[in-house]
Amino acid sequence: MAGLSHRQTEILTIARASGRVLVEDLARRFEVSAQTIRKDLNDLCEQRALTRIHGGAMIASGVENLAYEARRFVAADEKKAIGAAAAALIPNGCSLFINIGTTTEEVAAALISHEDLLVITNNLNVAMLLYRYPRIEVVVAGGAVRRADGAVVGSTATQLIGQFKVDYAIIGVSAIDEEGALLDFDYREVQVAQAIIANARSVMLVADSTKFTRSAPVRIAHMSQINTFVTDSALPAGIANICHSRGIQVIEAMPKPAADVDEADAGEGANAPIPIRRA
C-alpha cells in the first residue's frame, strides 16, 4: 500500500499472517513505545487495511473472511473462555446443533466430559473432536465440504438439519452490526445456520468482542432470535439494550476491569460497553 513506512508494512504482514496484532507485542518487537504503535495502527485503519480492536487491530474486510487458520489466532484466549462458559450451560442428556466456526469448536472441546449428548454438526472439525467419546453421538450433515475450513454447506446439509428438532443450537457468526444483525460471508453457510436456528428450542450465540468491529455481507438472523449470548466482555450499549429489551441472557466469560481500557477505545459515548453478567 502506498505511503506506508517500513514498520507499518511489516505490521500489516504480521496481521495478514495471524489475523490480528496487539499493541504491546508490536511495541516489544519493534522496540518502540506503545503510543508509536497506536499511531501506526491508526494510520493503517485510516487506509482501511486494519480495524481497531481492544488492545490492537485486526485485518479489515467486509466481503471476505480471514483464512480459517488465521482466525484461530484471533482472540484465542477469549474464544477458549467463551467455549468453557457455553459448555457449562449445556446439561447432560440433551441434543444440540453446532455450526462452523473457531469459537464453536472451543465449545465442542469443552463438551468432552459431558454424557449422553447427541451432536448434529456441519463442522468436520467438531465431528473429529467429539466422535471418539463413547457418551457423545455425532451426526455429520452431508454435502459438499468446503476445503478452506471443513464446513459442510449447501442444500443437502440444510435438508438434514431440517429433519431434527434439538434442545440447543450453538452458533457462531463473523460479525454483529450495531442494529443487532448477525452476519456472515458465505450465503450457503448462512442457509445452514438459519436452518439450525429454526430447528432448535434454545439458540446460543457464541462470539467474541472483535465481532462488533467487523462487517460481513450476508444476514443470518437478528439478535432477537437468540436466547443466550456468551461473549468475552461487556457489550456495546446498543447491543446490550437489544439483549435487555428482548430478555436475552448474556454471559461474560472474561469480564475486563473498568480501568482496563485501551486509549483508542475511550470516549465512545453511547457506544461504550455496558456490562451484563459475569460467568
Side-chain angles (χ1 to χ4, degrees):
M1 297 179 68
L4 298 185
S5 69
H6 176 71
R7 184 176 60 245
Q8 289 171 344
T9 301
E10 285 197 39
I11 289 171
L12 190 55
T13 299
I14 296 167
R16 284 171 173 161
S18 62
R20 74 166 180 175
V21 288
L22 299 177
V23 171
E24 292 183 2
D25 292 346
L26 293 174
R28 285 193 296 268
R29 181 187 182 103
F30 293 105
E31 299 182 339
V32 297
S33 69
Q35 183 177 359
T36 297
I37 293 299
R38 289 191 184 98
K39 183 180 183 304
D40 287 335
L41 296 183
N42 288 339
D43 289 345
L44 289 166
C45 289
E46 285 180 6
Q47 297 207 31
R48 299 186 178 181
L50 298 178
T51 298
R52 286 292 259 133
I53 60 173
H54 181 82
M58 65 185 294
I59 287 291
S61 175
V63 295
E64 183 178 359
N65 207 352
L66 293 173
Y68 201 70
E69 290 304 315
R71 282 151 59 190
R72 294 185 191 277
F73 293 99
V74 177
D77 292 340
E78 289 84 350
K79 290 174 181 177
K80 190 173 293 294
I82 290 168
L89 300 174
I90 302 297
N92 292 325
C94 72
S95 56
L96 59 154
F97 293 128
I98 302 179
N99 82 334
I100 190 67
T102 54
T103 308
T104 56
E105 284 182 31
E106 291 294 348
V107 180
L111 286 171
I112 60 175
S113 61
H114 279 55
E115 297 183 349
D116 302 324
L117 296 183
L118 170 63
V119 176
I120 302 99
T121 184
N122 70 318
N123 186 336
L124 292 188
N125 304 295
V126 166
M128 292 300 292
L129 274 168
L130 297 179
Y131 83 93
R132 66 196 70 197
Y133 295 95
R135 302 305 296 271
I136 302 176
E137 182 178 353
V138 178
V139 175
V140 180
V145 177
R146 193 165 59 193
R147 197 180 306 276
D149 56 9
V152 182
V153 296
S155 60
T156 304
T158 302
Q159 289 168 11
L160 182 133
I161 295 295
Q163 295 178 33
F164 291 88
K165 187 71 175 183
V166 304
D167 299 312
Y168 296 92
I170 311 296
I171 67 163
V173 298
S174 293
I176 304 171
D177 75 10
E178 60 187 8
E179 296 176 349
L182 309 180
L183 306 169
D184 222 308
F185 291 91
D186 187 335
Y187 73 92
R188 298 169 302 169
E189 180 181 334
V190 164
Q191 290 171 344
V192 177
Q194 289 171 339
I196 284 173
I197 291 170
N199 290 283
R201 297 180 180 91
S202 181
V203 180
M204 185 184 303
L205 172 65
V206 292
D208 67 84
S209 53
T210 66
K211 303 301 170 63
F212 300 122
T213 64
R214 303 190 67 198
S215 179
V218 189
R219 188 180 188 277
I220 302 172
H222 187 265
M223 286 293 301
S224 59
Q225 296 170 254
I226 303 303
N227 302 102
T228 304
F229 182 15
V230 185
T231 187
D232 55 312
S233 59
L235 303 179
I239 300 298
N241 290 335
I242 291 170
C243 291
H244 177 74
S245 66
R246 298 286 184 167
I248 299 167
Q249 180 186 24
V250 178
I251 307 295
E252 292 178 23
M254 290 182 68
K256 295 180 175 68
D260 184 20
V261 178
D262 187 86
E263 289 177 9
D265 301 321
E268 293 183 355
N271 292 320
I274 294 178
I276 306 288
R277 170 186 161 187
R278 271 65 173 171

